[in-house]
Amino acid sequence: PVVPPLPVASLPPATHDLFRRIQGRVAQVRIIERRSGTKSSIGSAFFVSEKGHALTNYHVVSDVVLHPEDYTAELDRGDSTVPVRLLSVDVASDLAVIQVEAPVADFFKLEDREPPQGTRLFAMGNPRDLGTTIVEGTYNGLVRDALYERVHFSGAINPGMSGGPTLSGEGGVVGVNVATMGNQVGFLVPVARARQLLDRTLALAAPPDAAALMASVREQLLANQQRITDRLMATELPKQVLGEYRVPGRWSPFLKCWGDTPHDPETPYTVTSYQCSSEEDIFLSSSHRTGVVSYLHQHVTSQKLGAMRFSALYSTLFSQDPDPVSATREDVTNFRCTSEFVDVKGLTVRAALCLRAYRRFPGLYDLVLRAATLNASTHGVDTSLTLGGFSAENAHKLARRYLEGLSWTK
């Protein structure tokens, strides 16, 4: 059957008409290095109240949060540049609210709900310092099984557009630009998250100082790691068969798991790997990521090496450091490790547990657990668990549950 065309009144307006009507509501955020007085990075923001409140990404203004003595922020509105105050952040959602002193006459409405899948959308921002740009794309719904809520947007969100709005054809905000994977694959923060942060900000009695903002980030990180811990501990840890062993499998839908066995006929041993990762993280700074869960199992077997050579290979494998969560010495302390032999339901395991503390956010740690089975001379499993940004209590709790997931099928 022939589908009748939609009435003209129900179609989205032409892109140029939408751009003309609302371009003044979008501005460029400039992060200014105080000593030189020049910009160190840029992003986008958009006005959401007549009192001059604007939304952007946390990662755009993170330097102002972490180093307020070194950085400040301003908005370039095209015809003028004005200073802004940073009022609040949602670090897990990658959002922030800033404010200019003077009221604004033209601002966006945040939509009450997500649009239907397949809706044509329009992302706006300042890509690569080229001025305000509008990009057409498609709403593809929330990313399934994500640890941190994101909308999949088929459109080119380029560097500098972070913090800009994505709009319906009627000009209402349905998401906030946050990231891209290239090839027309972009991601938005859902509008519900933006509305929640704006509502909390409008209810503030007074603008927070730098110390209060840092305390807020710490509280949000602690709440986030508790959410992840509760979610994992409430789920029975599934088992994955790996050679003669069972190992922790896909613990939660937010984890993506992959397996591989390289085939080299000249290598006298075989290593089969199975790894799971959240594949997502929280941006704290350009050098520091957090909010990560990942683990790697390696099943090693050989009928050619003999017991002594296999033991040497196995020890070398165990001594290799897994990739930790991205951080610098300014962000975290050195790892402190304890090592012991553990009996896991009759299976002897060598385990090393390492923690490093967050310097800016007391009570948060990265954990790396290494463990290797010791019950055979020609095969074994080496495993590692990495947690980013957890309390010591929760990190130990999750590590114990993880170790309990090891067993020998005999």
Side-chain angles (χ1 to χ4, degrees):
V2 177
V3 178
L6 290 171
V8 173
S10 69
L11 293 173
T15 305
H16 68 85
D17 179 52
L18 180 67
F19 184 77
R20 177 184 55 78
R21 287 192 291 114
I22 61 180
Q23 68 179 98
R25 305 175 192 177
V26 181
Q28 183 186 73
V29 182
R30 295 179 174 180
I31 306 304
I32 306 299
E33 200 274 325
R34 291 182 185 272
R35 292 181 180 85
S36 65
T38 57
K39 61 186 176 186
S40 64
S41 62
I42 61 171
S44 300
F46 58 99
F47 290 108
V48 288
S49 87
E50 62 184 357
K51 295 182 179 179
H53 294 91
L55 278 162
T56 186
N57 289 144
Y58 166 83
H59 78 255
V60 170
V61 297
S62 60
D63 283 336
V64 179
V65 178
L66 301 178
H67 304 286
E69 70 284 359
D70 295 326
Y71 296 93
T72 186
E74 63 184 27
L75 276 188
D76 182 355
R77 304 188 62 183
D79 56 352
S80 63
T81 300
V82 293
V84 296
R85 291 183 297 182
L86 178 56
L87 298 184
S88 63
V89 300
D90 178 345
V91 67
S93 296
D94 200 352
L95 290 173
V97 176
I98 56 181
Q99 185 181 23
V100 297
E101 288 189 3
V104 296
D106 197 17
F107 57 90
F108 284 109
K109 172 184 178 290
L110 301 181
E111 293 289 1
D112 296 328
R113 59 183 63 89
E114 303 291 332
Q117 190 156 350
T119 300
R120 184 166 65 143
L121 300 179
F122 305 85
M124 295 186 70
N126 292 268
R128 303 187 183 278
D129 209 8
L130 294 174
T132 303
T133 298
I134 190 166
V135 174
E136 291 190 40
T138 307
Y139 177 85
N140 290 291
L142 293 173
V143 178
R144 288 184 302 168
D145 300 329
L147 183 54
Y148 306 105
E149 281 191 352
R150 292 288 184 266
V151 170
H152 175 200
F153 171 74
S154 297
I157 296 176
N158 294 304
M161 292 182 71
S162 292
T166 293
L167 317 167
S168 65
E170 291 71 36
V173 176
V174 299
V176 182
N177 306 336
V178 69
T180 181
M181 290 180 62
N183 297 318
Q184 304 291 305
V185 179
F187 298 99
L188 317 173
V189 181
V191 67
R193 296 291 182 185
R195 194 185 315 108
Q196 289 165 8
L197 180 61
L198 179 61
D199 288 345
R200 293 199 300 269
T201 306
L202 294 176
L204 291 174
D209 59 17
L213 276 173
M214 286 289 284
S216 173
V217 172
R218 176 178 177 271
E219 291 169 5
Q220 292 171 30
L221 294 175
L222 285 168
N224 181 70
Q225 62 87 35
Q226 190 63 54
R227 173 181 71 93
I228 298 172
T229 300
D230 291 344
R231 187 169 171 181
L232 292 175
M233 293 302 293
T235 306
E236 184 176 349
L237 182 57
K239 304 293 182 64
Q240 173 73 30
V241 175
L242 202 59
E244 306 82 3
Y245 301 89
R246 287 189 176 91
V247 297
R250 190 183 183 192
W251 200 345
S252 177
F254 70 74
L255 294 164
K256 307 298 186 290
C257 299
W258 310 90
D260 185 42
T261 302
H263 298 282
D264 185 348
E266 297 185 5
T267 303
Y269 58 88
T270 300
V271 179
T272 299
S273 64
Y274 177 88
Q275 59 182 335
C276 297
S277 172
S278 53
E279 296 187 351
E280 301 169 82
D281 57 27
I282 293 174
F283 181 104
L284 283 179
S285 73
S286 57
S287 65
H288 193 188
R289 300 295 202 272
T290 190
V292 173
V293 178
S294 66
Y295 44 94
L296 168 67
H297 312 301
Q298 297 182 96
H299 177 255
V300 191
T301 183
S302 175
Q303 301 299 325
K304 299 178 181 179
L305 288 178
M308 291 188 62
R309 292 174 65 196
F310 182 83
S311 177
L313 166 69
Y314 202 48
S315 296
T316 299
L317 193 68
F318 184 81
S319 65
Q320 294 174 352
D321 293 329
D323 293 332
V325 181
S326 297
T328 67
R329 291 183 179 181
E330 182 184 4
D331 305 312
V332 295
T333 64
N334 292 327
F335 277 109
R336 293 188 177 183
C337 303
T338 58
S339 182
E340 60 182 316
F341 293 94
V342 180
D343 184 285
V344 182
K345 301 175 183 177
L347 179 65
T348 302
V349 174
R350 180 186 177 188
L353 191 146
C354 304
L355 286 174
R356 64 183 183 186
Y358 285 23
R359 295 186 185 278
R360 296 188 185 94
F361 306 106
L364 288 165
Y365 300 83
D366 289 339
L367 172 141
V368 174
L369 170 69
R370 296 298 309 275
T373 60
L374 300 173
N375 64 309
S377 60
T378 60
H379 57 79
V381 164
D382 176 277
T383 186
S384 61
L385 167 70
T386 300
L387 301 173
F390 285 73
S391 70
E393 178 184 359
N394 284 340
H396 281 96
K397 185 189 301 183
L398 291 168
R400 284 194 298 270
R401 174 66 69 86
Y402 181 82
L403 271 182
E404 292 168 358
L406 291 175
S407 63
W408 185 27
T409 60
K410 301 182 182 180

